[in-house]
Amino acid sequence: MVKAIVGANWGDEGKGKITDMFASESDIVIRFQGGANAGHTIINEYGKLALHLLPSGICHSKVTNIIANGVALNIPKFKEEITNVLAKGVPMPNLMISDRAQIVMPYHILFDQYEEERLGGKAFGSTKSGIAPFYSDKYAKIGFQVCELFEEEALKEKLVSVLELKNILLEHLYHKPTLDADALFDELMQYREIVTPFVADTTAYLHQAIKDGKKILLEGQLGSMKDPDHGIYPMVTSSSTLAGYGTVGAGIPPYEIKEIVAVVKAYSSAVGAGAFTSEIFDDEANEMRQRGGDAGEYGATTGRPRRMGWFDCVASRYGCRVQGATDVALTAIDCLGYLDEIPVCVAYEIDGVETLDFPNPTKLDRAKPVWKKLKGWKSDIRGITSFDKLPKEAQEYVLFIEKELGVRISLVSTGPKREEIMFR
Ligand code: GDP
Ligand code: MG
């Protein structure tokens, strides 16, 4: 049985917490896309862990964690993260890296930085982790799979050929120092040493696991709005963030995904540039940012303040739809207890016309929010674990969102800790 946990908003919905929770009843947790460019925060018996590349099942000793084919594998970051997690007292996780996963090359990170520099004021707000150059190269068929680290002669030859191209750009477009194939080869040999204990044919492993009826979790990174095909292009990430891609990025038959849990946050946050219709600013945003998440809404990877907004029914409904959500996990509702009234965006007004459908990116840029105000509950509901115990107004808030989304909210999270959750 395969279950996917994915984001229906702009990312940072609390997928890490939900995945960590479901991981305890899973055999396998898989990262299938993205890289170390975003982060999940999980808080459990080991304290607070910020995960970027490692699957959120790493705290559970009986879980096999897989970094699958579709991931952008940043090997130095991988090493750093393992070291940090072990330092927190987590036992050495059971972890596999697909031999077909591709490697974030040191120059991908450089090109990400140089390109953002070149764009200046028009930059994407990239985390500069090399993700866009990485996926560009993957689809241009000049990427490097983990398995290539073990074929030294072929690797050397390919490096020379790829660097010929890269060095032309470095010299003539970016006016930066060029790269040396021998030095890069040596670096890749260090990478090999780091990953060797984990490299495996994960496709074969998963084929058998499915046959054996194992419980498998697919862990998405970012959210629907950041999907290159369905999101707010071009202010998106460079790999698909959708549950459907889980089958490709992990190597699992599509029909095996039985449950798709879309994680939706009770208010909105976003990082990077791009349209964000329900965005709020100044004091209103600051207050929500301070009260949001486990210790304010700041990037788990970058530490930068997240952009804040009220709940957006239009974007979230679309976000659930493109994920194919069977269930919604509504998170961080406890963060809204300070408000007398809670505005939610129920429609967009575009060129004087109201719409309930999420528009294409060119129209989205002109969309203005249509607000409805719901009653606040003005109390601390953190840690409440049964729906009946929520104040009436909080129950109504959940039911309103459920109706707007058209998907059952089967989980409501009332705090960052593992046990601060209720099932409906
Ligand atoms: P992810 O990228 O989707 O895994 O989300 P992040 O971990 O980047 O951001 C979500 C933030 O909200 C983190 O600080 C979590 O600890 C926190 N969080 C998750 N669920 C809840 C919740 O129900 N209530 C509160 N207050 N914080 C939550
Ligand atoms: Mg995050």
Side-chain angles (χ1 to χ4, degrees):
M1 212 288 279
V2 183
K3 185 198 297 258
I5 315 277
V6 286
N9 300 135
W10 295 261
D12 303 321
E13 299 92 349
K15 296 175 295 292
K17 172 190 163 158
I18 304 294
T19 312
D20 175 55
M21 193 195 75
F22 280 121
S24 59
E25 52 194 57
S26 305
D27 301 302
I28 301 169
V29 179
I30 311 174
R31 275 287 306 273
F32 60 89
Q33 48 84 224
N37 52 322
H40 292 317
T41 314
I42 61 182
I43 302 176
N44 57 27
E45 66 269 31
Y46 300 105
K48 179 168 162 174
L49 302 169
L51 303 178
H52 309 284
L53 204 51
L54 295 180
S56 298
I58 48 132
C59 293
H60 303 271
S61 50
K62 71 169 191 54
V63 173
T64 301
N65 293 276
I66 296 183
I67 295 178
N69 306 32
V71 171
L73 179 67
N74 181 326
I75 295 175
K77 288 272 180 220
F78 169 79
K79 185 181 176 193
E80 190 185 312
E81 218 175 301
I82 288 270
T83 310
N84 288 343
V85 164
L86 295 179
K88 292 255 181 183
V90 178
M92 187 60 181
N94 186 354
L95 187 70
M96 292 165 109
I97 295 175
S98 169
D99 54 0
R100 290 171 186 266
Q102 292 204 9
I103 302 161
V104 176
M105 302 290 274
Y107 53 76
H108 288 142
I109 294 161
L110 293 175
F111 275 93
D112 205 349
Q113 288 163 7
Y114 297 161
E115 182 60 11
E116 289 279 287
E117 255 170 61
R118 190 182 75 85
L119 290 171
K122 295 207 168 83
F124 287 89
S126 162
T127 57
K128 304 189 183 75
S129 325
I131 298 299
F134 166 90
Y135 282 106
S136 307
D137 279 3
K138 175 172 172 173
Y139 292 106
K141 299 173 287 188
I142 52 170
F144 291 82
Q145 294 187 332
V146 166
C147 55
E148 291 177 73
L149 294 174
F150 300 90
E151 301 295 330
E152 295 185 16
E153 285 319 305
L155 179 62
K156 272 184 192 156
E157 245 175 68
K158 184 167 160 186
L159 278 176
V160 170
S161 138
V162 171
L163 283 192
E164 198 179 317
L165 185 74
K166 298 296 170 196
N167 280 337
I168 289 172
L169 289 174
L170 284 171
E171 191 176 342
H172 298 288
L173 179 64
Y174 297 116
H175 311 293
K176 298 284 184 186
T178 55
L179 299 169
D180 172 60
D182 290 332
L184 195 52
F185 179 81
D186 292 343
E187 207 167 345
L188 291 183
M189 288 303 101
Q190 291 171 25
Y191 282 11
R192 183 172 78 181
E193 217 175 296
I194 297 168
V195 296
T196 298
F198 307 103
V199 177
D201 179 350
T202 56
T203 311
Y205 178 83
L206 287 170
H207 176 76
Q208 191 57 45
I210 286 172
K211 267 189 165 172
D212 296 343
K214 301 278 192 213
K215 286 191 180 160
I216 300 175
L217 264 194
L218 291 169
E219 173 177 19
Q221 181 215 33
L222 297 169
S224 302
M225 299 302 143
K226 297 287 183 180
D227 182 77
D229 288 293
H230 299 272
I232 54 172
Y233 191 86
M235 299 303 178
V236 294
T237 193
S238 302
S239 67
S240 176
T241 57
L242 303 185
Y245 186 73
T247 74
V248 178
I252 279 176
Y255 53 80
E256 293 291 346
I257 304 188
K258 304 294 186 224
E259 277 176 47
I260 298 173
V261 179
V263 186
V264 172
K265 194 152 63 179
Y267 51 90
S268 303
S269 73
V271 291
F276 183 14
T277 311
S278 68
E279 186 167 14
I280 54 176
F281 303 91
D282 304 321
D283 290 350
E284 202 177 29
N286 285 334
E287 171 131 50
M288 185 190 268
R289 185 178 302 112
Q290 296 314 321
R291 292 174 180 275
D294 70 297
E297 288 280 0
Y298 297 89
T301 300
T302 57
R304 58 185 170 172
R306 291 173 177 157
R307 297 165 69 191
M308 306 304 301
W310 300 116
F311 186 81
D312 183 336
C313 299
V314 181
S316 303
R317 179 168 52 239
Y318 174 82
C320 288
R321 193 178 291 167
V322 295
Q323 290 291 7
T326 59
D327 292 86
V328 162
L330 186 70
T331 58
I333 187 167
D334 54 294
C335 302
L336 298 175
Y338 66 104
L339 295 153
D340 291 312
E341 286 184 316
I342 310 175
V344 292
C345 172
V346 290
Y348 291 173
E349 190 198 305
I350 302 168
D351 304 331
V353 181
E354 272 191 26
T355 176
L356 298 176
D357 288 321
F358 192 71
N360 70 40
T362 56
K363 287 189 182 151
L364 181 63
D365 285 336
R366 305 200 292 277
K368 295 187 185 69
V370 178
W371 301 114
K372 178 181 168 74
K373 284 188 175 158
L374 303 184
K375 267 198 215 131
W377 44 93
K378 287 293 262 183
S379 61
D380 185 5
I381 58 170
R382 173 116 176 226
I384 291 183
T385 53
S386 90
F387 193 70
D388 304 337
K389 298 236 165 69
L390 286 178
K392 185 169 84 15
E393 294 83 359
Q395 292 186 12
E396 281 166 0
Y397 191 80
V398 174
L399 295 174
F400 180 84
I401 289 176
E402 182 172 73
K403 192 157 162 262
E404 287 287 319
L405 297 179
V407 183
R408 179 156 174 76
I409 296 178
S410 52
L411 290 160
V412 181
S413 173
T414 53
K417 295 198 181 129
R418 194 187 273 166
E419 61 281 2
E420 291 171 328
I421 194 146
M422 65 185 78
F423 296 82
R424 282 181 68 230

